[in-house]
Amino acid sequence: MSTRLLNIANTGLNASKKSLEVTSHNISNANTEGYSRQRVHQQSNMPLIKDGLITGSGTRIKSINRVHDKFVEKKLRDSQSNESYYNNRAEQLSRVEDIFNEIDNEGLNQILNNFFNSFRDLANQPENETVRSVVRDKAQLIVKDFRRIAETLNEISKSIDDKIMISVKDANQHIDSIATLNRKIRELEATGDETGDLRDQRDLSVKELSKIIKIHTYQDERGNYNVQSPGIGTLVTAAQSQKLGTYVFGKDESTNGQDGSMEIFWASRSGQQITEKFQGGSLGAVIKVRNNDVKQLKEKLDQTAYEFMNYVNAIHRRGYVNREIQTDVNGNPVSMDNKGPTTGNNFFSAPMKIEGAALNIDLSDAIKSDISNIATALSPNSPGDNRVAIAISKLQHERLMSGGTATLEEDYLKTVGNVGLETGKAKLDAEQSEGLLAQANSIRERISGVSIDEEAANMIKYQHAYEAAAKVMKTANEMFDTVLSIKQ
């Protein structure tokens, strides 16, 4: 009887010892990111029947499980993906918005107005060389600002290319990690070992991956843990993974029409480009900014530069240079003198096409070389004739853009306003998504986080149980000694 009592006490001793180990493990990981507290599930042993009586046989540890809610984890993962998407979008759009910031410096709109005003001044003093020089300087500022904006937009696209490459590299590491953990979990569970810590590590890798790519996870009918990205496909199936790759494409094959653009494809299927299929996460955000927002801005800027140059050139070509023009035998003005063409000069170098017009805008060689080539007169040898200068200055208020519905200024301000609206919306979405993420984190912590107070209480409870079981063993031992002393 003493032996059975000793065995029963021993089961209590082992159960309490294991419970204390789990409590200690919880306390040690109280501040570990992604850790889920673990709980010991204790169960009484099968009772024994002896001498017609049913008696208990102690206790045993049935399982050690982590406290986990998969729906909360899914909500947390989705919130993480949205927060990463909106924050990255707001960050990149803020960089774009800064290009058009006219608070600290003169922006393109003010520079364009200065240019038209300089032609207005020239109309008042068409022979004044100082005013002519000012007109050329103001035009040079337009060239400089169009190029500045176009070059900065290209730089933003290039920096996003670098970000895409780094994000894909990080995503592949997490994909590998999830597949490896899937294999380890399956191996350990096959032998009956606990895998709570490994599952936490896998959840953490999944959460980190969700910051980069929008994903969802599921277990198939065979129990395999799978990770899938909407629009992309399966990234992980059990211990198998599919990696992503990046490659620099030429202008014709790129998704944003820029030479040297970084594109994404399956590493094992290089012919299948999937750049524009990404949704959510940091990758989805930067790709959308590069392929939509920045691309549309560049197209709009090119259109504005192209239209502006063509309208100014069309009027300027009708004028005559501001110097004495010889006449031929018929009394007609010569079209060429020792300084070049006397009429038909472009003010800006004629753009060949809309694409790249902002980046390639420049003054014509005639205007660069001699300010007397700036035409103000509609007739040759007509001092005081300012009809060309007036016509150019009036372009400022004519509805030339968007199918004749907006002036240059209105069209430009509308473009800048749209950038501001999109940036403001992205910032607002980012703030809201941060709030939702904080809420999801709070819910998870309430369910799966470690409470030091609760663990301390458990520690005392298990310690008392251990001490009580030890006393039972001591009592059993004393009873056994008593029996032995009777025989002596």
Side-chain angles (χ1 to χ4, degrees):
M1 184 185 74
S2 299
T3 305
R4 199 169 70 206
L5 183 61
L6 205 63
N7 288 336
I8 292 173
N10 188 45
T11 61
L13 203 69
N14 287 333
S16 299
K17 180 172 173 289
K18 192 64 183 175
S19 298
L20 278 169
E21 287 175 2
V22 172
T23 302
S24 173
H25 187 57
N26 285 340
I27 293 172
S28 301
N29 287 285
N31 297 316
T32 302
E33 184 183 1
Y35 179 76
S36 301
R37 65 191 165 97
Q38 297 179 1
R39 282 287 170 266
V40 174
H41 293 274
Q42 200 169 325
Q43 189 178 51
S44 59
N45 283 331
M46 288 294 291
L48 300 174
I49 302 175
K50 190 173 183 180
D51 300 330
L53 298 173
I54 299 174
T55 57
S57 59
T59 186
R60 66 186 177 91
I61 301 297
K62 182 184 178 184
S63 63
I64 300 172
N65 297 325
R66 60 175 184 154
V67 180
H68 174 80
D69 188 320
K70 62 181 182 180
F71 295 107
V72 172
E73 287 293 337
K74 181 181 182 305
K75 183 176 181 181
L76 177 61
R77 189 170 62 241
D78 291 344
S79 298
Q80 188 78 67
S81 185
N82 289 337
E83 189 268 348
S84 179
Y85 175 84
Y86 289 120
N87 264 325
N88 276 275
R89 179 164 170 75
E91 179 187 343
Q92 297 300 327
L93 285 177
S94 293
R95 294 179 62 194
V96 175
E97 188 181 32
D98 287 343
I99 301 173
F100 301 95
N101 184 358
E102 299 194 9
I103 296 175
D104 301 325
N105 303 299
E106 282 189 343
L108 183 58
N109 181 51
Q110 185 60 46
I111 291 172
L112 282 169
N113 287 338
N114 291 341
F115 170 77
F116 289 122
N117 289 337
S118 69
F119 257 104
R120 204 163 285 117
D121 292 339
L122 184 61
N124 294 328
Q125 308 172 69
E127 316 302 326
N128 190 319
E129 290 195 353
T130 302
V131 178
R132 286 177 170 275
S133 182
V134 170
V135 168
R136 187 170 62 180
D137 291 345
K138 297 298 183 186
Q140 195 62 54
L141 287 176
I142 289 176
V143 169
K144 190 177 175 182
D145 214 55
F146 265 119
R147 288 180 180 176
R148 174 190 67 83
I149 296 172
E151 287 170 355
T152 310
L153 288 174
N154 284 342
E155 287 171 8
I156 290 175
S157 289
K158 286 294 180 188
S159 71
I160 289 176
D161 286 343
D162 295 338
K163 196 173 180 68
I164 289 173
M165 187 174 65
I166 294 170
S167 295
V168 167
K169 189 177 177 183
D170 290 344
N172 282 337
Q173 287 180 348
H174 295 308
I175 289 169
D176 262 350
S177 173
I178 294 167
T180 302
L181 286 166
N182 275 348
R183 179 177 55 77
K184 288 181 179 177
I185 290 170
R186 168 155 287 195
E187 288 173 354
L188 287 174
E189 289 183 345
T191 58
D193 288 325
E194 296 299 330
T195 56
D197 290 341
L198 291 181
R199 285 176 176 270
D200 280 346
Q201 290 177 26
R202 185 176 66 186
D203 285 347
L204 192 59
S205 290
V206 168
K207 194 168 76 171
E208 291 299 316
L209 182 60
S210 72
K211 292 180 184 177
I212 304 171
I213 309 169
K214 185 177 179 62
I215 56 173
H216 75 263
T217 62
Y218 66 95
Q219 278 193 315
D220 61 22
E221 65 278 3
R222 299 175 61 186
N224 293 325
Y225 185 85
N226 301 312
V227 179
Q228 197 174 47
S229 180
I232 304 299
T234 302
L235 301 170
V236 179
T237 301
Q240 304 296 319
S241 63
Q242 285 204 84
K243 288 186 177 179
L244 303 171
T246 55
Y247 192 77
V248 176
F249 278 79
K251 181 179 170 184
D252 295 336
E253 297 171 301
S254 68
T255 54
N256 68 335
Q258 186 166 334
D259 193 33
S261 175
M262 188 70 69
E263 305 296 339
I264 306 173
F265 58 93
W266 290 112
S268 58
R269 288 170 275 168
S270 58
Q272 190 173 349
Q273 192 184 113
I274 52 176
T275 307
E276 293 194 309
K277 294 183 178 179
F278 284 89
Q279 305 169 15
S282 59
L283 258 183
V286 296
I287 289 171
K288 184 174 182 182
V289 171
R290 187 192 71 173
N291 288 8
N292 291 357
D293 302 286
V294 173
K295 184 182 177 185
Q296 288 172 9
L297 268 175
K298 286 169 65 177
E299 289 172 353
K300 187 66 184 173
L301 190 71
D302 282 340
Q303 181 74 37
T304 302
Y306 183 82
E307 298 287 352
F308 169 73
M309 284 188 285
N310 277 335
Y311 280 119
V312 172
N313 283 344
I315 297 174
H316 193 268
R317 281 196 300 269
R318 295 169 57 195
Y320 286 85
V321 298
N322 185 48
R323 57 179 177 264
E324 185 176 354
I325 301 172
Q326 302 298 320
T327 56
D328 59 17
V329 293
N330 298 319
N332 296 320
V334 295
S335 59
M336 182 78 74
D337 61 12
N338 57 354
K339 289 190 176 182
T342 57
T343 188
N345 286 321
N346 281 323
F347 190 90
F348 294 98
S349 58
M352 300 299 293
K353 55 183 179 180
I354 295 176
E355 185 181 355
L359 196 61
N360 298 318
I361 184 174
D362 200 358
L363 298 184
S364 67
D365 290 338
I367 301 300
K368 283 182 184 175
S369 62
D370 191 349
I371 56 174
S372 69
N373 285 325
I374 298 175
T376 56
L378 201 54
S379 302
N381 300 321
S382 303
D385 186 351
N386 60 2
R387 286 176 288 176
V388 170
I390 289 175
I392 291 177
S393 69
K394 284 184 176 179
L395 288 176
Q396 181 181 11
H397 303 297
E398 291 184 15
R399 297 188 181 280
L400 309 171
M401 307 297 294
S402 301
T405 60
T407 64
L408 270 168
E409 182 178 16
E410 290 168 346
D411 195 61
Y412 178 75
L413 291 179
K414 182 181 176 184
T415 302
V416 174
N418 287 337
V419 173
L421 283 174
E422 286 297 319
T423 307
K425 185 175 180 299
K427 287 179 178 176
L428 186 62
D429 289 338
E431 288 176 6
Q432 291 176 343
S433 63
E434 283 176 8
L436 291 173
L437 176 60
Q439 187 182 42
N441 268 319
S442 175
I443 293 172
R444 188 204 177 271
E445 277 304 301
R446 284 204 299 273
I447 294 173
S448 303
V450 176
S451 165
I452 295 297
D453 292 340
E454 185 182 345
E455 297 302 328
N458 285 339
M459 186 172 62
I460 293 170
K461 181 176 71 175
Y462 296 135
Q463 184 186 8
H464 287 170
Y466 187 88
E467 288 172 355
K471 283 182 180 177
V472 172
M473 290 186 76
K474 184 180 176 184
T475 302
N477 189 50
E478 289 171 356
M479 289 170 66
F480 189 69
D481 288 343
T482 301
V483 172
L484 288 177
S485 65
I486 293 172
K487 291 183 177 178
Q488 291 175 352

